[in-house]
Amino acid sequence: MVRKIGVLTSGGDAPGMNAAIRSVTRIALNNGIEVVGIHDGYRGLLEESFEPMTRQSVSEILNRGGTKLGSARLPEFREDEVQDQCIKNLNRAGIDALVVIGGDGSYRGALALTRKGINCIGLPGTIDNDIAGTDFTIGFDTALRTCVENVDKLRDTSSSHHRCSIVEVMGNHCGDLALYTAVSCGAEMVITPETGYDELEVLERLRYLGSAVKKNHAIVIISEKICDVEELAKKVSLNTNFSGRATVLGHIQRGGSPTPTDRMLASRMGEKAVDLLMEGIGGHCVGIIDNHITSVPISEALERPRASRKQLYRLFDRLV
Ligand code: ATP
């Protein structure tokens, strides 16, 4: 029987993590289970930076971005001895089980601890939507809203100046944020790890849009780490009818009050995490598939390829 649950947030922060912390805390407390907040991800576990969580600890955080518990990366957590020390710390604090909110790296840590005897459940907290075993991650919808709001503003100014705006969004080797932004904003082009990148093709397409189609502006959405967008913008100015401008949205994508969709998702997933732990299940991660909250073993989720986005890329092509 689980008596005390620890909760931590790990990896990059994402809006909605607070809603997940709140859900885990309130649902556990309402089931007579004590809750301990662990600061700064696995670092807090190693350094025993714990705080007892009450109903009030999670008051007024539902609408706040970031994470109340702090997040960090601890590369040493891959080492056996570090994990063993953390298990000792958990045992000393009487923590029987853990909810880890983070990305796939954090999931690997949760799996390691489960194998060493502490049941852990992973919740997908990342704006990148890059985790298998779920259609959506906590934070993706809020980051998408931020991207769409900003690209809409860029469109206003681009169309007044015959500009091509090249907008770099986050994604960490996953094109979802770029693809969803491109469809939502009616962009002219989308470039992601899934589409691949060919500079000559991009310039050719923009030349065509500027001369044959006579568009007076163009928006190109591109995932991070694909090319130097400032350089691409210069080449657009030199080789097409458009004046190229690059915008890197950067860390604003991580911030902001979570959307109702993210608050709902985090609340539902937090509930599932506590239910699984009460059933004595560990080593699973929670997902949402076709609007149903589900769970699969972390090992399976990490191996499984993500669902294909082919239909959405096709939709984008048909809307241009
Ligand atoms: P994001 O998607 O925001 O990058 P993430 O959880 O994938 O989130 P990582 O930096 O990959 O971020 O991992 C977060 C932490 O999880 C690491 O700092 C480390 O403490 C732990 N971790 C990562 N990989 C492993 C692993 N293979 N084994 C054990 N722990 C790991």
Side-chain angles (χ1 to χ4, degrees), residues 266-279:
S267 302
R268 293 174 74 191
M269 286 182 162
E271 175 188 43
K272 180 75 175 178
V274 176
D275 285 347
L276 287 168
L277 291 174
M278 286 195 305
E279 287 168 38

Side-chain angles (χ1 to χ4, degrees), residues 10-13 42 72-75 77-78 83 102-109 112 125-126 128 130 172 254:
S10 166
D13 66 318
Y42 294 118
R73 299 190 200 267
L74 180 74
F77 194 70
R78 288 177 182 80
Q83 291 168 7
D104 53 2
S106 307
Y107 276 16
R108 285 177 214 281
T126 166
D128 299 327
D130 62 344
N172 192 29
R254 284 199 189 280

Side-chain angles (χ1 to χ4, degrees), residues 5 15 59 71 103 142 152 180 188 264 267 298 311:
I5 288 179
S59 292
S71 188
T142 306
D152 282 350
Y180 280 69
E188 276 63 37
M264 285 294 299
S267 302
I298 291 175
Q311 275 195 324

Side-chain angles (χ1 to χ4, degrees), residues 81-275:
E81 309 79 76
V82 176
Q83 291 168 7
D84 292 343
Q85 184 57 51
C86 289
I87 295 276
K88 273 189 203 151
N89 296 348
L90 285 166
N91 288 335
R92 200 168 19 234
I95 299 171
D96 317 293
L98 207 57
V99 178
V100 172
I101 307 163
D104 53 2
S106 307
Y107 276 16
R108 285 177 214 281
L111 186 57
L113 291 180
T114 304
R115 286 179 174 153
K116 286 176 190 271
I118 298 280
N119 272 349
C120 297
I121 298 295
L123 297 189
T126 166
I127 66 163
D128 299 327
N129 214 36
D130 62 344
I131 302 183
T134 187
D135 291 341
F136 294 105
T137 55
I138 298 166
F140 175 71
D141 188 66
T142 306
L144 176 61
R145 180 192 62 188
T146 303
C147 291
V148 168
E149 280 174 3
N150 282 284
V151 174
D152 282 350
K153 286 178 188 157
L154 283 169
R155 177 180 286 284
D156 293 344
T157 150
S158 293
S159 51
S160 315
H161 292 278
H162 205 78
R163 250 179 219 154
C164 169
S165 273
I166 298 161
V167 188
E168 182 184 290
V169 302
M170 285 184 167
N172 192 29
H173 310 296
C174 171
D176 279 15
L177 205 45
L179 173 62
Y180 280 69
T181 303
V183 172
S184 305
C185 295
E188 276 63 37
M189 289 189 78
V190 61
I191 304 167
T192 68
E194 291 87 1
T195 63
Y197 174 61
D198 179 333
E199 185 184 282
L200 291 179
E201 252 178 43
V202 172
L203 294 173
E204 182 58 37
R205 173 89 184 133
L206 290 171
R207 256 197 305 276
Y208 169 76
L209 290 173
S211 50
V213 184
K214 300 215 177 324
K215 286 199 77 90
N216 70 346
H217 70 274
I219 305 269
V220 178
I221 310 291
I222 182 164
S223 300
E224 63 183 339
K225 300 174 189 159
I226 288 191
C227 74
D228 181 333
V229 287
E230 292 290 348
E231 284 303 310
L232 178 59
K234 279 186 205 152
K235 287 181 183 162
V236 167
S237 297
L238 286 174
N239 294 287
T240 75
N241 284 351
F242 295 112
S243 151
R245 291 293 164 92
T247 304
V248 177
L249 290 187
H251 275 82
I252 56 166
Q253 291 163 93
R254 284 199 189 280
S257 174
T259 60
T261 299
D262 272 331
R263 297 182 200 190
M264 285 294 299
L265 185 63
S267 302
R268 293 174 74 191
M269 286 182 162
E271 175 188 43
K272 180 75 175 178
V274 176
D275 285 347

